[in-house]
Amino acid sequence: TTTTTTTTRTSSCTTSSYRLDIIPKNVYTSRPRRRVRADDVMVCDCSLSEGCSENCINRMMFVECDPKYCPCGDECKNCRFQKREYAEVTLMEPKDAKGFGLMTRQALKKGQFVIEYVGEVVNEEEHNRRKVEYRKEGKRHFYFMSIANGEVIDATRRGNLSRFLNHSCNPNCETQKWQVGGELCIGIFALRDVDANTELTFDYHFERDAQQTQRLRCLCGEPNCRGFVGSKTANVEDARVCLGDDPSSSASLYDPARDEPRPVMVERGHVEDDPLGSLSTSSQQQGGRRRRFSGQVARGQTEVEQFLETVCSEGGVLTSDAHVIAVVRYLKPQYSIFEISNIFQVILASPTRSMREEFVKRGILSALQVLMHRYTEELTKANLPLLRKALDVVSFLPLTEEAIIRSRTGKCSFTTFLLDLCRHHDQEAARRAGAIAEKHLASQLRRRRESQQRAQQQMASSSGCRDRERERERDVGLEGEAGKGGCCSDEDEDDECVKKAREWDDFKDDNPRGWGNKNLRPCA
């Protein structure tokens, strides 16, 4: 997963040290942390003997299991973020032209989880405000990492050792976005086997914004160095010309003694979210609400659009079955409606049956169930078309009975969810869900309809009994009032009858046994 990181190593700080609060998890400053609900939890089909190993469908989709719902329970091995199963890493002193870095003290295997990148989670508006604030303070050494939908992790003031990872054009680590407890988290994972006492690096994928005019010289020293951080092609010769002996060069030379003050790290064992507390006045006036991502970043594209460009042809068709799992990983409710819609379009354009089967194999049904439940719960003008489009995707896929049975969330199975959608108040969504159920769940749909018919008949019978009872009660009331002179006459007759009926209902509630008149007891 490509993660845009703004890490500017060009500050000219005057202080020799600065404070860094070491926190164990992300702190949400722009909104409350999302509550984990059963319908948001994707449940794998692993056995207790497997313990959610590499073949776990959730693990392949970059989704951590919830031990409350996972078949493996406490034996689940897909809880590395939640249990903070970090590798043994340490701060590395400045070396050569580079500042502080991160070094592993143990050997790492390819794909091993190293550490989570944590900090303050801010919205797009607060992110832009902080960039201006840091520049005014003379800081150009930023630690921003984008999550999704305009939200960014800022590890400038609060974070952990992961913020010291340096950039490299030939990195030994990468970032991956995982769904953990209803939130997206960013983890650092080893790209290959790494020996102990080796510096850990990853590709920043840095992009300059309108206020960042200087190009950042890459200091990784790798044979394939691109010259500048963020360049897609090698510009080593250009970097040498631009940075060689020209003191007026606009590119920034990095001097660790000047630009890298020593961090004074303060451990914070327990931290609380601070919604709105760290926001600017203007952000608080906006209610601290999370803004929908405008779809415009430095190059006018969202993260998903950039990803789809790399895996699709010019016609928007996936070029290989190998890209299927990467596409499914983006089907998470944290991404914008615009991005999810683009992904649906790519899936619907799948050219071969083998590719469509690969989507089913990679657990797309559970991901779609989570999304569709969110769209039905938060039904808006924007969500309704996505709900219908998601049902089109389900209809388009070559579903198997096995795939349908094993797909579920913590709340219900995919079968139950789809059958419930057949009664959705939006007729078009109900029609599409019904067509899918007729094709793949005919027997279950028939039993559901028969059960509903029986329930309706019972309700009608019960309603008829209540109506007859009310009629008899009213007749008795009318007879009694007529004997007293007919107080129910003229225009007040209906009101008096209703009043008497209510009084009779209250009497029955207080005296459930021995109603007096056997003729007024409800029929069987």
Side-chain angles (χ1 to χ4, degrees):
T1 302
T2 301
T3 305
T4 303
T5 308
T6 305
T7 309
T8 312
R9 302 277 188 177
T10 60
S11 63
S12 54
C13 303
T14 57
T15 58
S16 58
S17 65
Y18 64 95
R19 171 172 169 161
L20 171 64
D21 286 347
I22 301 298
I23 56 178
K25 60 182 180 180
N26 286 329
V27 176
Y28 290 82
T29 63
S30 303
R31 61 168 175 82
R33 186 184 299 267
R34 293 186 182 92
R35 295 179 60 186
V36 181
R37 301 174 302 183
D39 44 63
D40 290 330
V41 178
M42 295 173 56
V43 180
C44 67
D45 58 347
C46 298
S47 63
L48 188 60
S49 60
E50 294 173 329
C52 295
S53 58
E54 298 298 327
N55 294 325
C56 174
I57 189 65
N58 279 0
R59 185 190 285 257
M60 289 189 288
M61 295 176 62
F62 290 175
V63 176
E64 278 213 345
C65 294
D66 188 328
K68 296 179 182 178
Y69 302 98
C70 179
C72 301
D74 294 336
E75 300 300 320
C76 177
K77 299 177 183 177
N78 186 29
C79 300
R80 294 170 292 180
F81 282 80
Q82 300 171 62
K83 296 179 179 179
R84 301 189 183 94
E85 296 176 351
Y86 300 161
E88 189 177 355
V89 295
T90 186
L91 189 66
M92 190 176 71
E93 293 294 323
K95 182 180 179 182
D96 299 329
K98 291 194 244 181
F100 288 100
L102 191 67
M103 181 176 66
T104 175
R105 301 180 65 178
Q106 68 178 74
L108 303 175
K109 294 293 184 181
K110 180 180 178 180
Q112 182 174 341
F113 178 47
V114 180
I115 193 172
E116 180 185 355
Y117 192 94
V118 302
E120 297 176 279
V121 179
V122 299
N123 59 18
E124 188 177 14
E125 180 182 4
E126 179 67 9
H127 170 220
N128 293 330
R129 188 197 69 80
R130 290 191 179 195
K131 286 192 295 185
V132 175
E133 176 187 337
Y134 293 161
R135 289 191 177 104
K136 287 182 179 180
E137 294 175 353
K139 298 177 182 178
R140 293 186 181 178
H141 195 160
F142 303 160
Y143 300 88
F144 296 125
M145 190 175 290
S146 63
I147 305 176
N149 207 10
E151 289 192 320
V152 174
I153 296 176
D154 178 13
T156 304
R157 299 188 182 105
R158 294 194 280 182
N160 63 10
L161 290 178
S162 64
R163 73 194 289 278
F164 294 104
L165 280 157
N166 283 315
H167 163 81
S168 175
C169 297
N170 184 29
N172 52 23
C173 293
E174 67 174 352
T175 59
Q176 295 177 5
K177 294 182 181 179
W178 283 63
Q179 184 166 311
V180 183
E183 298 286 358
L184 275 185
C185 299
I186 299 178
I188 309 297
F189 291 79
L191 274 174
R192 54 180 179 268
D193 292 348
V194 180
D195 295 333
N197 301 319
T198 302
E199 181 183 6
L200 301 177
T201 58
F202 74 103
D203 193 332
Y204 284 175
H205 297 288
F206 173 73
E207 295 176 3
R208 288 179 295 163
D209 56 33
Q211 296 173 319
Q212 182 69 40
T213 58
Q214 293 181 326
R215 300 182 71 185
L216 303 177
R217 182 187 181 186
C218 181
L219 306 171
C220 68
E222 295 289 342
N224 66 329
C225 179
R226 299 188 296 263
F228 295 99
V229 176
S231 300
K232 289 188 176 181
T233 57
N235 294 317
V236 179
E237 294 300 326
D238 292 340
R240 289 173 180 170
V241 172
C242 184
L243 299 170
D245 300 321
D246 185 4
S248 63
S249 170
S250 61
S252 302
L253 295 176
Y254 182 74
D255 182 0
R258 180 195 65 196
D259 299 332
E260 191 78 0
R262 179 169 293 276
V264 177
M265 292 179 280
V266 180
E267 292 282 348
R268 296 293 183 186
H270 178 74
V271 292
E272 296 289 343
D273 294 327
D274 186 23
L276 309 184
S278 303
L279 296 183
S280 64
T281 303
S282 61
S283 297
Q284 294 186 32
Q285 291 174 349
Q286 294 293 331
R289 294 182 179 179
R290 179 183 175 196
R291 295 175 53 192
R292 286 294 179 187
F293 191 47
S294 61
Q296 300 295 324
V297 290
R299 295 181 296 175
Q301 288 182 314
T302 67
E303 175 189 344
V304 172
E305 283 183 303
Q306 295 177 33
F307 162 73
L308 292 179
E309 274 194 355
T310 63
V311 298
C312 294
S313 64
E314 293 184 359
V317 178
L318 278 180
T319 56
S320 171
D321 293 5
H323 300 316
V324 166
I325 185 61
V327 173
V328 175
R329 287 168 182 164
Y330 277 104
L331 288 177
K332 294 181 174 69
Q334 289 82 5
Y335 290 98
S336 68
I337 293 174
F338 174 74
E339 292 171 306
I340 296 295
S341 180
N342 283 347
I343 296 174
F344 285 168
Q345 198 62 39
V346 168
I347 297 172
L348 290 171
S350 301
T352 64
R353 181 177 177 85
S354 65
M355 183 175 291
R356 297 192 289 272
E357 290 175 344
E358 187 70 12
F359 274 110
V360 177
K361 180 181 177 182
R362 295 301 182 181
I364 191 174
L365 285 185
S366 295
L368 289 173
Q369 182 177 344
V370 171
L371 288 174
M372 287 191 290
H373 188 277
R374 182 69 61 89
Y375 300 150
T376 56
E377 186 180 58
E378 303 173 2
L379 197 59
T380 63
K381 291 182 178 180
N383 284 345
L384 185 56
L386 268 185
L387 173 61
R388 297 172 179 173
K389 201 167 187 178
L391 288 169
D392 288 340
V393 172
V394 176
S395 178
F396 177 72
L397 297 172
L399 302 182
T400 62
E401 183 178 359
E402 178 186 0
I404 294 175
I405 292 175
R406 74 174 187 170
S407 300
R408 63 179 299 110
T409 64
K411 183 176 182 179
C412 64
S413 66
F414 182 82
T415 299
T416 301
F417 177 76
L418 185 63
L419 294 176
D420 289 342
L421 271 183
C422 294
R423 301 184 62 190
H424 195 271
H425 64 81
D426 178 65
Q427 295 182 357
E428 186 58 30
R431 183 191 66 79
R432 300 183 188 193
I436 298 171
E438 287 281 4
K439 182 178 180 181
H440 300 285
L441 303 170
S443 60
Q444 293 93 326
L445 181 61
R446 183 177 64 255
R447 289 195 296 269
R448 173 69 70 92
R449 287 174 175 172
E450 292 174 352
S451 175
Q452 291 172 355
Q453 290 176 357
R454 288 194 298 269
Q456 290 174 356
Q457 292 173 356
Q458 292 174 359
M459 290 179 61
S461 176
S462 176
S463 177
C465 293
R466 289 194 297 270
D467 291 341
R468 289 191 294 272
E469 179 185 346
R470 292 194 186 98
E471 290 177 0
R472 288 193 294 267
E473 293 171 359
R474 186 185 64 177
D475 293 341
V476 171
L478 289 173
E479 293 174 0
E481 295 298 337
K484 295 181 180 180
C487 64
C488 291
S489 60
D490 300 329
E491 60 184 12
D492 295 332
E493 179 177 352
D494 292 338
D495 292 340
E496 289 294 334
C497 292
V498 172
K499 181 179 178 181
K500 289 294 183 182
R502 289 177 179 171
E503 291 176 351
W504 183 252
D505 288 339
D506 293 339
F507 173 78
K508 290 188 299 181
D509 291 339
D510 295 335
N511 302 274
R513 299 180 181 179
W515 289 350
N517 191 338
K518 295 182 179 180
N519 294 327
L520 296 181
R521 294 180 182 176
C523 58

